[in-house]
Amino acid sequence: MLEPLPRSFYDRPVVQVARDLLGKLLLREAPEGMVAGRIVEVEAYQGFDDPAAHSFRGRTPRNATMFGPAGHLYVYSIHARFCMNVVTEAEGTPTAVLLRAVEPREGIELMQTRRDLEKVRDLARGPARLCEAYAIDRAWDGWDLTGGEGLWIAQSDDAEDASPKIFTSPRIGVTSAHESLLRFVIAGSPFVSGPRRLAGEAE
DNA sequence: CTACCGATTGACT
DNA sequence: GTCAATCGGTAGA
């Protein structure tokens, strides 16, 4: 239990990894304490075929991690904040899954301190909020998620998390490729970001 | 070197 | 619902 997912989990087609990440636990161990949450919202970014992906125009110092092996963390900054991604597929195939929201399960007080916010629903609802709640910044870029320390992802013990009902929508905030349905959320979860009509009521 | 701008958020009407 | 602050990465001069 709470063993890190193996590299083989990440070394698969990005959309498949994205869907399978829903319901998994994102774990963070720090000197200040432990934080954990259930992943409820992700987006897939498809590299060379995907104008919305950072890697679309080739490798740069910023996106280099996306080109590396699967199972590592890609952290970038935007609008003076941070967002975290999980790198998928083989080395040289720059695909990744953006972690957009988590349902807090453990270490809620620590998240509240880091976010300077009481409301549990908003602690990790949105990619930059999630990073703040987990204290992840650009220094974590390249982190290996299969190590089982610091930051990793594990299967949940709770059977209810095993095969969640998935709702699909266009990605949020992207200025190109509006049409692709590459955002995945756990249907009906109050912890997902975006407008209500994209929260995933129906299937 | 400067100019532009985004995979966002939070404050405000 | 609307809107502007924010700042590092990237492209172009």
Side-chain angles (χ1 to χ4, degrees):
Chain A
M1 67 182 254
L2 304 189
E3 288 297 306
L5 296 173
R7 191 156 332 271
S8 56
F9 175 89
Y10 302 102
D11 193 2
R12 296 182 297 147
V14 62
V15 168
Q16 208 167 327
V17 177
R19 299 181 67 102
D20 290 348
L21 277 171
L22 293 178
K24 297 290 189 292
L25 294 181
L26 180 64
L27 300 141
R28 167 85 164 99
E29 198 168 39
E32 319 89 78
M34 182 81 177
V35 147
R38 170 209 193 206
I39 298 170
V40 296
E41 177 182 3
V42 298
E43 285 176 1
Y45 286 85
Q46 298 185 301
F48 300 123
D49 301 328
D50 182 0
H54 288 163
S55 51
F56 180 66
R57 288 177 179 81
R59 182 181 185 135
T60 66
R62 176 214 207 185
N63 65 23
T65 303
M66 280 187 85
F67 288 77
H72 289 255
L73 195 72
Y74 166 48
V75 181
Y76 66 89
S77 74
I78 187 167
H79 293 286
R81 291 175 166 83
F82 298 102
C83 301
M84 60 171 135
N85 303 249
V86 165
V87 176
T88 57
E89 305 187 33
E91 197 164 352
T93 309
T95 59
V97 177
L98 171 67
L99 271 30
R100 286 194 58 94
V102 143
E103 172 187 331
R105 285 277 175 91
E106 214 184 301
I108 290 176
E109 282 187 17
L110 180 51
M111 292 195 208
Q112 287 169 324
T113 304
R114 284 172 174 160
R115 293 266 298 119
D116 189 26
L117 180 81
E118 289 286 313
K119 199 175 174 191
V120 174
R121 191 172 99 100
D122 291 342
L123 287 179
R125 197 173 123 264
R129 292 162 167 172
L130 170 61
C131 277
E132 193 176 18
Y134 274 67
I136 298 299
D137 61 19
R138 184 99 256 237
W140 286 80
D141 183 53
W143 184 260
D144 188 348
L145 292 165
T146 65
E149 57 169 0
L151 181 73
W152 72 101
I153 300 174
Q155 178 88 42
S156 169
D157 291 337
D158 196 334
E160 307 239 331
D161 297 333
S163 36
K165 196 173 176 187
I166 299 175
F167 174 79
T168 306
S169 87
R171 292 171 294 185
I172 291 179
V174 299
T175 52
S176 53
H178 289 289
E179 69 288 354
S180 341
L181 299 174
L182 292 172
R183 174 173 173 266
F184 307 97
V185 308
I186 293 185
S189 170
F191 295 92
V192 307
S193 69
R196 183 162 53 266
R197 70 167 222 287
L198 293 181
E201 323 85 40
E203 260 281 71

